[in-house]
Amino acid sequence: MGNRVADKVAIITGASRGVGLEDAKLMVAEGATVIMADVNVEAGQKAAAEIGDGAQFVKLDVSSEADWKSLIALVEEQHGRLDILVNNAGILQVGEIDKETLEGWRR
């Protein structure tokens, strides 16, 4: 990554484990400020504490418009801008796309 993310502000969803957590570690190591967003509060807080300076955990349910509005307001208030968004959060839901309901899609 080099210095491409140095001094940037990033939100990473699904950041309490797996790919999201590794993205957060890498971006902080490369100089970014990372807001680690996830529904898993315990794991997210622990991960952000282990990463240390440059990482902050915020509870976020990506399917909640209210959570997104709150998160963006927090980022604007604390950092004045958002440079990077990594939409990593997701769930595995097996089915046929043409039979999926709107509720299922939003989940």
Side-chain angles (χ1 to χ4, degrees):
M1 222 178 277
N3 64 356
R4 293 181 299 160
V5 299
D7 302 317
K8 302 290 185 183
V9 178
I11 292 173
I12 301 175
T13 67
S16 71
R17 62 185 176 176
V19 172
L21 175 56
E22 295 305 314
D23 286 348
K25 289 176 182 177
L26 182 58
M27 283 194 187
V28 169
E30 295 293 337
T33 297
V34 176
I35 295 83
M36 300 172 65
D38 204 300
V39 294
N40 189 334
V41 175
E42 185 177 333
Q45 288 174 337
K46 181 180 177 191
E50 288 175 358
I51 292 172
D53 291 343
Q56 172 187 3
F57 175 76
V58 175
K59 182 180 183 289
L60 174 75
D61 175 348
V62 296
S63 68
S64 168
E65 183 178 356
D67 278 11
W68 275 108
K69 286 181 178 183
S70 177
L71 175 59
I72 296 304
L74 177 83
V75 170
E76 287 178 344
E77 178 183 313
Q78 291 183 354
H79 304 286
R81 68 184 200 283
L82 175 64
D83 302 302
I84 301 166
L85 173 61
V86 179
N87 275 323
N88 174 70
I91 61 170
L92 176 62
Q93 184 168 309
V94 178
E96 297 177 44
I97 195 161
D98 62 333
K99 293 183 172 95
E100 184 60 71
T101 65
L102 181 57
E103 179 183 317
W105 177 258
R106 287 185 172 160
R107 186 176 54 247

